[in-house]
Amino acid sequence: MDIDFKAFSDSFKNGIIYIPNTIKLILIPLVIGFLVGTFLAYLRYKKVKIASQAITAFVTFYRGVPVIIAMLIYNLIFLLFYSSWQAFFHWKRNLQDINLLWIAIFALTLSEICGMEEIMRTAFLGIEKGQWEAGKSIGMKEHQIVLHVIIPQLIPIALPNLTNLTLGLIKNSSVVISIGVVDIMVGCTKPADITYSYFEAYLAAAMIYWGINIIVEFSLRKYEHYSKKFRKGAFV
């Protein structure tokens, strides 16, 4: 089969235009997922009553639901109830004015929170209890120990799994096509809707995602090597 390089080039150029949308779909869930997931992991690690059981139940349930199904459910709920919410809260924006990108981000964020929580909880368990006791022995408060002693050590422990989670998110971000959000995948296939060169369009999308993954993985692996010094600087 011959490849139409012009069609490939057109799809590639059009896909690049929508990289900013894909970056939003990656960065926002990652940042929120890391912050919230780490906090939830801390609550489970400390075995806070009620909260730890509720978090465990939610994470166990939500991780069993495919992201695409959760996204479709949230989108359907939004479409069905937006008019009621609009009337109740006196919103002036119509349904057509709402960017569905935020529904996709919401679904991906919840998924990342669950993934991050599991990773960071495992990292917490990898910290020696003596580190907590050493911090208390020099008069540090709980939040100071967490921020200045524990978190710097968590990163090197969790980073390999965080890298895999991030790479998975980059690839999973393409499922937003299911609710009509325009990203790299949709951008690449737009020219193919006219030329029917879908093979070249999918190949162009694959190359863009591959390039992003290579850059992200290389950067995180370099940071993983750099962050090892924090483990060496732990209390002994």
Side-chain angles (χ1 to χ4, degrees):
M1 182 179 66
D2 295 330
I3 296 177
D4 187 337
F5 288 100
K6 184 181 183 305
F8 173 83
S9 176
D10 291 341
S11 293
F12 190 86
K13 291 176 182 178
N14 207 61
I16 289 176
I17 295 173
Y18 296 98
I19 286 180
N21 275 5
T22 297
I23 290 176
K24 289 180 184 177
L25 290 166
I26 297 168
L27 283 183
I28 296 176
L30 271 181
V31 173
I32 297 177
F34 177 77
L35 295 175
V36 178
T38 301
F39 177 69
L40 296 181
Y42 173 75
L43 295 179
R44 283 188 70 186
Y45 174 74
K46 287 295 184 178
K47 298 180 180 178
V48 177
K49 291 183 179 180
I50 301 178
S52 60
Q53 290 87 344
I55 294 167
T56 301
F58 172 75
V59 171
T60 302
F61 169 77
Y62 202 86
R63 294 202 74 187
V65 179
V67 176
I68 189 171
I69 293 178
M71 197 173 295
L72 289 169
I73 290 173
Y74 298 144
N75 186 56
L76 184 59
I77 291 173
F78 176 77
L79 295 175
L80 290 175
F81 294 101
Y82 182 77
S83 57
S84 300
W85 298 336
Q86 183 184 32
F88 183 80
F89 292 105
H90 304 289
W91 292 337
K92 295 181 179 180
R93 301 185 68 180
N94 295 321
L95 180 62
Q96 295 78 8
D97 299 326
I98 304 299
N99 191 347
L100 296 179
L101 177 73
W102 297 106
I103 296 177
I105 288 175
F106 177 76
L108 292 172
T109 298
L110 284 181
S111 179
E112 288 306 292
I113 287 173
C114 294
M116 288 285 186
E117 190 279 332
E118 287 290 298
I119 291 172
M120 298 310 289
R121 185 175 65 88
T122 302
F124 270 115
L125 293 172
I127 302 293
E128 297 179 4
K129 292 185 177 180
Q131 299 295 307
W132 298 86
E133 296 169 358
K136 291 178 182 178
S137 69
I138 61 173
M140 297 179 73
K141 296 181 179 180
E142 183 80 5
H143 70 277
Q144 292 176 320
I145 297 174
V146 172
L147 291 176
H148 301 295
V149 179
I150 304 303
I151 294 295
Q153 296 182 64
L154 285 180
I155 303 302
I157 296 174
L159 204 51
N161 288 327
L162 290 178
T163 299
N164 293 332
L165 188 69
T166 302
L167 298 178
L169 174 61
I170 294 172
K171 291 178 284 188
N172 287 337
S173 67
S174 63
V175 303
V176 300
I177 191 176
S178 63
I179 62 172
V181 175
V182 180
D183 68 337
I184 291 172
M185 184 66 181
V186 177
C188 287
T189 55
K190 277 188 175 182
D193 292 337
I194 300 173
T195 63
Y196 297 102
S197 301
Y198 286 102
F199 176 78
E200 287 80 2
Y202 296 145
L203 184 61
M207 293 300 293
I208 295 174
Y209 280 114
W210 178 77
I212 293 174
N213 269 302
I214 289 295
I215 293 171
V216 171
E217 183 173 14
F218 176 79
S219 300
L220 290 176
R221 296 301 181 196
K222 291 289 287 185
Y223 182 72
E224 180 182 346
H225 178 74
Y226 166 78
S227 65
K228 289 180 180 179
K229 70 177 185 179
F230 292 111
R231 287 288 289 166
K232 296 177 181 178
F235 282 124
V236 293

